[in-house]
């Protein structure tokens, strides 16, 4: 479980995050939603330690991130899988090499065991027959799937996804969403997804936090989002034609 | 400007502290060391070789044409070519060439990884990205570049010999006698030391610029250019300092 308490973050005079308080539960797809520029990515980067908050605390299973030294943070990061917006696959490695990469550093497995584990992860995300291809030879959807396979290679306790279906067609986006949801439930991972895609929100949003101008304005799930009285959230949801119809129908 | 320089120098030192952290696994380090040796050292052999042969030949012609005084022994042509090559060309001039070739390669490679999120991905796995990406480059460039200097020295001498043989500008025997005359082995050590120092600067400063690149592809280009300019100036500055310290 991940807990955020009174988190503030600014860049110079620009206050990006203000008094953020969140709880992310295990085995659920916890979504951070909001318009572009609302502070989602900054929040995610604070959560995974790529940025340091100005004040406030982030707790990973009872331990403060700010109290952890280099070694302890390094150990924690081995339990974290991250799917970046552009997948961020390593150009110098093949598909198989990308999935094996974290195993090379943090396991004493034999080459055969590593390949078996990598193939298992790749099969789990429905990528087969591409072991020796390089990331530049893959489609966007396939890169994302390989990114997920790499993220779950070491059986993480936490999975962070930054806009996992951006730039993908609706069908592939839905596949990726369901894949993340399935993996989250199967391995009881605490998954945090950063998105502004309404299809994803309605499909897999077990727990949703709506951020606007750096503050959390609303908390709920995919069922309650259609009945919200939060004006900003209604504007955000209503920007999607299908969602607007659903709101109109429910009213 | 002085403040900016001091800030950058401090930031570079902190970066080096990350780079020289103990590698997570030595096996991975040695594998990367071999890969980087191929990319940085072996791939530079052709350019260094071609330039060295031609410069060696040109030095013979220029030196001979400036020594028309019959009182001067023609053997001194070989002597002066050797001294010029070993003292300045094979380390400083070759390092300036490598600042362009090796420096831009390192800065653009690491900079591209930075802007595409690959370095963040490594950090998030708990891998020391600076150590994994930069340490093998710095070690390979620093430890093996003196071999490149020796190679350049040998080919420079060879280039001079070719010109002597082809043009008979001076007798070949005189050229060879000049090469052997008043040989000082310390000069080779001095030149090798300079080369190692220059390549340390090239690899670490270029990696630093690439590692902190920002602003998309334009930022990568800027970091590459900055690396070449900064390392070229520092090579000349340290050439002066090291020469004063070691030769005077």
């Amino acid at each position: 479980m991940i807990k955020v308490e009174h988190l503030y973050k600014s860049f110079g005079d620009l206050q990006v995050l203000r008094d953020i308080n969140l709880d992310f539960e295990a085995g659920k797809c916890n979504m951070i939603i909001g318009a572009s520029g609302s502070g989602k990515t900054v929040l995610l980067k604070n959560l995974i330690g790529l940025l340091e908050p100005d004040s406030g605390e982030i707790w990973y299973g009872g331990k403060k991130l700010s109290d952890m030294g280099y070694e302890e943070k390094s150990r924690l990061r081995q339990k974290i899988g991250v799917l970046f917006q552009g997948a961020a696959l390593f150009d110098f490695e093949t598909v198989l090499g990308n999935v094996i990469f974290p195993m090379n550093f943090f396991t004493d497995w034999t080459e055969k065991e590593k390949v078996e584990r990598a193939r298992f992860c790749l099969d789990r995300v429905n990528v087969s027959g591409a072991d020796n291809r390089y990331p530049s030879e893959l489609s966007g959807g396939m890169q994302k799937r390989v990114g997920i396979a790499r993220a779950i290679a070491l059986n993480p306790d936490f999975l962070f996804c930054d806009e996992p279906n951006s730039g993908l067609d609706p069908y592939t986006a839905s596949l990726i969403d369901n894949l993340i949801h399935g993996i989250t439930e199967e391995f009881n991972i605490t998954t945090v997804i950063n998105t502004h895609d309404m299809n994803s929100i309605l499909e897999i949003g077990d727990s949703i936090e709506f951020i606007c101008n750096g503050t959390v304005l609303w908390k709920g799930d995919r069922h309650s989002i259609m009945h919200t009285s939060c004006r900003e959230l209604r504007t955000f949801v209503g920007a999607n034609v299908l969602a607007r119809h659903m709101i109109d129908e429910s009213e | 400007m002085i403040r900016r320089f001091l800030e950058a120098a401090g930031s570079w030192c902190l970066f080096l502290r990350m780079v020289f952290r103990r590698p997570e696994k030595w096996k991975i380090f040695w594998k990367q060391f071999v890969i980087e040796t191929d990319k940085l050292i072996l791939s530079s052999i052709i350019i260094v070789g071609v330039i060295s042969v031609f410069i060696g030949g040109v030095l013979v012609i220029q030196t001979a044409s400036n020594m028309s005084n019959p009182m001067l022994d023609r053997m001194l042509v070989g002597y002066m070519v050797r001294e010029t090559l070993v003292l300045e060309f094979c380390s400083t001039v070759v390092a300036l060439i490598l600042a362009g070739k090796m420096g831009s390669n390192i800065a653009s490679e690491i900079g591209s990884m930075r802007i595409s999120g690959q370095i963040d991905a490594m950090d998030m796995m708990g891998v020391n990205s600076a150590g994994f990406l930069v340490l093998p480059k710095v070690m390979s460039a620093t430890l093996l570049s003196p071999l490149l200097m020796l190679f350049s020295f040998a080919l420079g001498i060879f280039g001079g010999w070719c010109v002597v043989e082809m043009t008979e500008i001076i007798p070949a025997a005189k050229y060879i006698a000049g090469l052997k005359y008043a040989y000082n082995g310390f000069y080779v050590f001095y030149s090798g030391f300079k080369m190692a120092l220059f390549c340390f600067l090239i690899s670490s400063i270029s990696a630093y610029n690439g590692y902190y690149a920002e602003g998309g592809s334009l930022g990568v280009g800027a970091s590459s250019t900055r690396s070449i300019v900064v390392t070229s100036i520092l090579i000349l500055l340290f050439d002066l300092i090291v020469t004063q310290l070691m030769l005077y």
Side-chain angles (χ1 to χ4, degrees):
Chain A
M1 184 178 158
I2 304 168
K3 195 173 179 178
V4 180
E5 285 181 342
H6 307 296
L7 190 95
Y8 286 81
K9 178 70 186 175
S10 61
F11 296 99
D13 295 336
L14 182 68
Q15 189 72 42
V16 180
L17 299 176
R18 293 184 194 88
D19 198 21
I20 302 280
N21 294 284
L22 298 168
D23 285 299
F24 298 119
E25 293 172 47
K28 280 188 176 180
C29 282
N30 302 277
M31 296 193 132
I32 304 169
I33 66 169
S36 299
S38 58
K40 299 190 303 290
T41 302
V42 174
L43 174 59
L44 196 79
K45 284 189 173 177
N46 275 276
L47 288 175
I48 60 181
L50 287 177
L51 288 175
E52 283 208 9
D54 297 340
S55 63
E57 291 298 345
I58 297 162
W59 301 73
Y60 276 87
K63 279 203 162 184
K64 277 186 195 175
L65 190 62
S66 59
D67 286 349
M68 293 181 193
Y70 176 82
E71 296 294 333
E72 206 173 350
K73 264 188 190 162
S74 181
R75 277 197 297 277
L76 170 69
R77 283 172 169 173
Q78 290 160 36
K79 294 179 188 169
I80 294 177
V82 181
L83 173 63
F84 286 88
Q85 196 171 347
L89 298 179
F90 304 130
D91 295 333
F92 54 87
E93 291 281 13
T94 59
V95 165
L96 198 66
N98 263 283
V99 184
I100 287 176
F101 189 86
M103 300 179 213
N104 285 335
F105 280 90
F106 304 114
T107 70
D108 292 319
W109 299 343
T110 61
E111 235 14 75
K112 193 180 161 210
E113 286 169 331
K114 287 182 208 166
V115 171
E116 273 175 13
R117 172 69 188 162
R119 292 235 162 91
F120 168 79
C121 294
L122 287 168
D123 283 345
R124 184 65 189 80
V125 298
N126 304 320
V127 175
S128 52
D131 289 2
N132 297 318
R133 284 161 72 182
Y134 281 88
S136 57
E137 299 168 332
L138 304 176
S139 67
M142 217 160 172
Q143 284 188 15
K144 289 274 166 80
R145 280 188 270 174
V146 176
I148 296 172
R150 188 178 67 182
I152 62 169
L154 292 179
N155 276 325
D157 293 337
F158 311 99
L159 177 64
F160 292 89
C161 306
D162 188 13
E163 308 207 2
N165 42 26
S166 67
L168 301 179
D169 65 86
Y171 178 72
T172 311
S174 173
L175 282 180
I176 297 285
D177 285 338
N178 287 311
L179 194 57
I180 293 170
H181 197 247
I183 287 167
T184 301
E185 287 186 339
E186 192 179 330
F187 302 109
N188 197 36
I189 300 170
T190 305
T191 299
V192 179
I193 302 169
N194 204 347
T195 189
H196 47 60
D197 185 85
M198 275 313 296
N199 293 332
S200 296
I201 295 163
L202 294 174
E203 199 156 358
I204 60 167
D206 298 328
S207 165
I208 301 170
E209 320 273 350
F210 174 64
I211 292 190
C212 184
N213 293 326
T215 50
V216 178
L217 284 189
W218 182 87
K219 294 180 185 189
D221 59 29
R222 63 177 179 267
H223 306 296
S224 56
I225 197 167
M226 290 301 170
H227 313 291
T228 176
S229 57
C230 173
R231 191 171 50 85
E232 289 84 354
L233 181 56
R234 285 174 74 89
T235 310
F236 174 79
V237 173
N240 181 286
V241 178
L242 287 175
R244 193 161 62 232
H245 282 306
M246 287 169 76
I247 292 173
D248 291 344
E249 277 176 21
S250 71
E251 282 173 351
Chain B
M1 190 178 160
I2 292 172
R3 192 181 157 184
R4 269 182 61 193
F5 171 76
L6 290 174
E7 274 176 3
S11 173
W12 176 69
C13 290
L14 291 173
F15 172 70
L16 286 184
R17 206 177 73 169
M18 283 200 296
V19 170
F20 284 102
R21 236 182 252 274
R22 191 173 175 275
E24 280 93 354
K25 285 201 174 172
W26 284 103
K27 192 179 153 192
I28 297 173
F29 168 78
W30 287 117
K31 188 182 162 200
Q32 287 304 114
F33 183 84
V34 172
I35 292 170
E36 298 304 340
T37 299
D38 179 46
K39 267 200 300 202
L40 301 178
I41 303 294
L42 297 180
S43 72
S44 303
I45 280 180
I46 292 178
I47 179 92
V48 170
V50 169
I51 293 170
S52 302
V53 168
F54 280 90
I55 293 289
V58 169
L59 278 177
V60 165
I61 299 168
Q62 284 180 345
T63 312
S65 68
N66 282 289
M67 291 180 66
S68 51
N69 190 332
M71 297 292 284
L72 292 172
D73 192 333
R74 303 297 276 169
M75 170 195 82
L76 289 175
V77 172
Y79 168 75
M80 289 184 70
V81 167
R82 185 197 75 203
E83 296 295 84
T84 310
L85 284 172
V86 76
L87 286 174
E88 203 58 14
F89 174 77
C90 297
S91 48
T92 310
V93 177
V94 169
L96 286 170
I97 294 161
L98 291 180
K101 193 219 166 254
M102 204 190 269
S104 61
N105 176 306
I106 293 173
S108 56
E109 181 188 316
I110 295 180
S112 304
M113 291 184 75
R114 164 61 72 194
I115 62 157
S116 60
Q118 293 177 52
I119 290 180
D120 285 344
M122 263 179 219
D123 287 335
M124 280 320 304
M125 285 174 192
V127 174
N128 173 12
S129 59
F132 172 74
L133 292 171
V134 182
L135 185 61
K137 290 184 200 302
V138 172
M139 295 302 279
S140 172
T142 307
L143 297 178
L144 300 179
S145 57
L147 296 177
L148 218 47
M149 171 256 142
L150 287 176
F151 175 72
S152 165
F153 183 38
L155 283 189
I157 297 285
F158 172 73
W161 178 79
C162 288
V163 167
V164 167
E165 281 291 325
M166 284 187 284
T167 62
E168 293 178 354
I169 197 165
I170 58 166
K174 286 275 183 189
Y175 177 71
I176 290 166
L179 292 178
K180 292 177 184 172
Y181 176 70
Y183 171 76
N184 185 348
F186 178 73
Y187 287 175
V188 177
F189 170 76
Y190 154 79
S191 190
F193 176 80
K194 276 204 305 183
M195 187 68 160
L197 175 68
F198 296 158
C199 283
F200 170 76
L201 292 172
I202 293 168
S203 53
S204 60
I205 291 170
S206 305
Y208 166 78
N209 278 305
Y211 197 81
Y212 292 110
E214 51 188 24
S217 53
L218 287 178
V220 176
S223 73
S224 184
T225 308
R226 195 165 51 244
S227 302
I228 296 168
V229 172
V230 171
T231 48
S232 298
I233 293 169
L234 286 178
I235 283 169
L236 297 173
L237 179 69
F238 275 90
D239 186 29
L240 195 66
I241 294 170
V242 172
T243 303
Q244 168 72 20
L245 289 174
M246 291 182 79
L247 290 190
Y248 189 67

